[in-house]
Amino acid sequence: MDDDDRTRVLETPRSATGREWEVFVRADARGPLKHVGSVTAADADDAHERAATLFDWTATDVWLCPAEETRRYTTHRLAGGESQ
């Protein structure tokens, strides 16, 4: 796929009550890191607790990234014209 086919997805806050965190997990030491979802929490420790409850059933690694620091690009248009 050519990079020119992708446009950046404009982010708007998904929650008015807390900071958004993107959650990535790795099922085993040799496996790829995969994005599994997002959680809302005031800080990284709280986000880890929430992510553990929702996503880490088999994960050996859990990574959390502040959503505002994450950039998304897509090849398709999203509802509401969220991509540039």
Side-chain angles (χ1 to χ4, degrees):
M1 176 149 311
D2 191 341
D3 285 346
D4 292 337
D5 294 335
R6 292 188 195 104
T7 57
R8 184 172 170 201
V9 177
L10 297 177
E11 296 288 342
T12 58
R14 289 175 277 179
S15 172
T17 60
R19 191 173 188 189
E20 288 288 323
W21 299 81
E22 299 300 334
V23 182
F24 300 84
V25 300
R26 185 184 333 262
D28 60 66
R30 295 182 184 185
L33 198 60
K34 294 182 177 180
H35 181 259
V36 292
S38 60
V39 295
T40 301
D43 58 41
D45 290 335
D46 187 31
H48 179 249
E49 275 189 43
R50 292 172 190 248
T53 301
L54 294 171
F55 303 115
D56 83 341
W57 0 255
T58 59
T60 59
D61 296 313
V62 176
W63 288 31
L64 299 162
C65 300
E68 69 268 14
E69 298 297 327
T70 305
R71 300 293 182 262
R72 294 191 310 155
Y73 296 86
T74 184
T75 58
H76 61 275
R77 306 257 315 135
L78 301 175
E82 294 174 349
S83 64
Q84 289 181 341

